[in-house]
Amino acid sequence: MSNLSSKPYQIGYALTPKKEQTFIVPSLLSHASQNGVVLTKIDPTKPLIQQGPFDCILHKLYDSDWKQNLQDFASRNPNIPIIASPESIDILRNRISMLETVSKLKINNTGVPKQITITEVTGLENLKLNFPLIAKPLDADGSETSHKLHLIFDKDGLNNLTAPFVLQEFVNHGGVVFKVYVAGKYFRCVKRKSLPDISEEKLVNLKGSLPFSQVSNLAAAGGGEGCKFEKTEMPPESLVKELVEGLKEELRLNLFNFDVIRDGKNKENYLVIDINYFPGYAKMPDFESVITDFLRDVVHKDINCGDN
């Protein structure tokens, strides 16, 4: 749908260099331009009110100076949408508050794995969790440290962890994770290979901990149960749609993805294990048209961006 007869929409973006490299690609810039959307780089070190003009702000920066910059801009331009509200994004930067949003939805046959926060590595004898566990840094801020996850097989595996972190029960799920990408009115569910199942018999012989980067070696060494990836059925679309709509409303976000697994002990149950703001869309089919349509909808006010 061409919009060349009218003035193009100016979308200002403020991203980390890494995010800019993977998202602001020539194919997106070209498709957006052909459909009346111009993406313009923002200098986050300068006041937003001195840049533009913009019809919408798209960002993925977290520092306090940038948040103040956004706030100043929003106070003077209350009708210009900001994707997204820093308050909404912050919910997903903590791995406890992140999944609490799922529990609030109370959707049948959905939930989250049992998990607790560890603030200091003492008194871990009575965790009231069943091994194996997944240890995740509490902060999910996109840093290299936040991606350092470990599979914990016994109490000895907890010794070398640095607090604060989250301990989450590992749930056998057939070695498949379902990733659901959301961009406003659009959503798409795809399946990806995941951690292999671990039987109780195998768990007896597994000791200590293992970084996620080495978990693939676990399956090769016979530590994980086989995965029939190609034959794995997708979750019911009605359930995925209910989760999408519920999370959009609860989080007040429109640009995110979430990971879902099928509970190996009860095939009717699905567990959300992770939610990310503004994930990597570039590998998604038709990503250029999906993002362009999303940005147009935001400017048209067809999508509510929370506070703006």
Side-chain angles (χ1 to χ4, degrees):
M1 134 177 96
S2 178
N3 196 48
L4 297 181
S5 60
S6 59
K7 188 177 178 181
Y9 298 132
Q10 302 291 333
I11 311 297
Y13 66 86
L15 307 172
T16 63
K18 182 179 179 181
K19 185 67 178 176
E20 183 178 343
Q21 185 179 13
T22 58
F23 183 76
I24 306 296
V25 293
S27 60
L28 174 62
L29 293 173
S30 174
H31 183 86
S33 177
Q34 291 170 22
N35 288 273
V37 174
V38 175
L39 290 149
T40 303
K41 185 174 181 176
I42 289 170
D43 183 346
T45 66
K46 297 179 180 178
L48 273 168
I49 54 176
Q50 296 177 9
Q51 303 180 67
F54 300 119
D55 296 300
C56 173
I57 302 292
L58 174 66
H59 76 102
K60 194 176 183 180
L61 298 176
Y62 304 124
D63 64 89
S64 56
D65 288 344
W66 170 250
K67 288 182 180 179
Q68 186 61 53
N69 199 351
L70 268 181
Q71 187 174 329
D72 294 342
F73 178 85
S75 64
R76 297 196 186 194
N77 301 276
N79 295 320
I80 295 181
I82 294 175
I83 309 168
S85 156
E87 290 77 19
S88 294
I89 297 171
D90 283 347
I91 294 172
L92 299 187
R93 298 184 70 218
N94 176 292
R95 284 195 164 97
I96 294 296
S97 61
M98 171 199 295
L99 295 189
E100 282 177 347
T101 60
V102 180
S103 302
K104 291 177 183 176
L105 299 181
K106 295 182 170 54
I107 297 174
N108 289 339
N109 299 322
T110 68
V112 299
K114 189 175 179 182
Q115 62 179 18
I116 59 172
T117 306
I118 303 297
T119 54
E120 52 184 61
V121 191
T122 57
L124 299 181
E125 292 78 20
N126 301 305
L127 290 173
K128 297 182 180 178
L129 295 175
N130 296 317
F131 289 100
L133 303 172
I134 298 174
K136 308 179 178 183
L138 180 61
D139 293 331
D141 55 10
S143 66
E144 188 176 337
T145 303
S146 71
H147 293 300
K148 291 186 176 178
L149 279 58
H150 290 78
L151 199 53
I152 312 296
F153 303 116
D154 54 28
K155 289 179 181 177
D156 290 340
L158 299 169
N159 294 337
N160 297 321
L161 298 176
T162 303
F165 58 88
V166 173
L167 284 178
Q168 186 182 86
E169 285 190 351
F170 176 78
V171 177
N172 282 333
H173 53 283
V176 178
V177 61
F178 304 102
K179 288 185 166 292
V180 183
Y181 292 88
V182 182
K185 300 173 183 177
Y186 174 95
F187 71 89
R188 181 181 178 90
C189 181
V190 298
K191 62 182 176 181
R192 297 283 184 265
K193 290 184 179 179
S194 177
L195 301 182
D197 286 353
I198 302 172
S199 66
E200 292 184 14
E201 294 78 16
K202 293 287 195 306
L203 184 60
V204 175
N205 298 315
L206 296 169
K207 305 295 180 186
S209 66
L210 195 64
F212 267 34
S213 59
Q214 297 178 23
V215 169
S216 57
N217 299 336
L218 178 69
E225 299 298 302
C227 160
K228 298 178 181 178
F229 179 78
E230 298 300 332
K231 295 181 180 179
T232 301
E233 291 185 8
M234 302 295 283
E237 186 171 355
S238 58
L239 182 140
V240 173
K241 185 175 182 179
E242 196 172 357
L243 277 171
V244 168
E245 295 303 324
L247 287 172
K248 280 165 57 176
E249 184 174 350
E250 186 65 37
L251 292 167
R252 299 170 77 183
L253 290 174
N254 284 285
L255 200 64
F256 63 96
N257 78 343
F258 57 96
D259 293 351
V260 184
I261 58 173
R262 181 182 285 119
D263 189 342
K265 291 183 179 179
N266 184 343
K267 305 292 186 183
E268 300 296 317
N269 282 348
Y270 293 85
L271 304 173
V272 177
I273 58 172
D274 197 23
I275 312 175
N276 299 287
Y277 166 66
F278 199 164
Y281 287 95
K283 293 182 180 179
M284 194 175 68
D286 301 321
F287 121 88
E288 297 88 352
S289 59
V290 169
I291 295 300
T292 300
D293 290 348
F294 165 67
L295 293 172
R296 289 178 61 90
D297 285 345
V298 170
V299 175
H300 285 158
K301 304 294 192 294
D302 291 338
I303 293 175
N304 185 356
C305 283
D307 295 334
N308 296 94

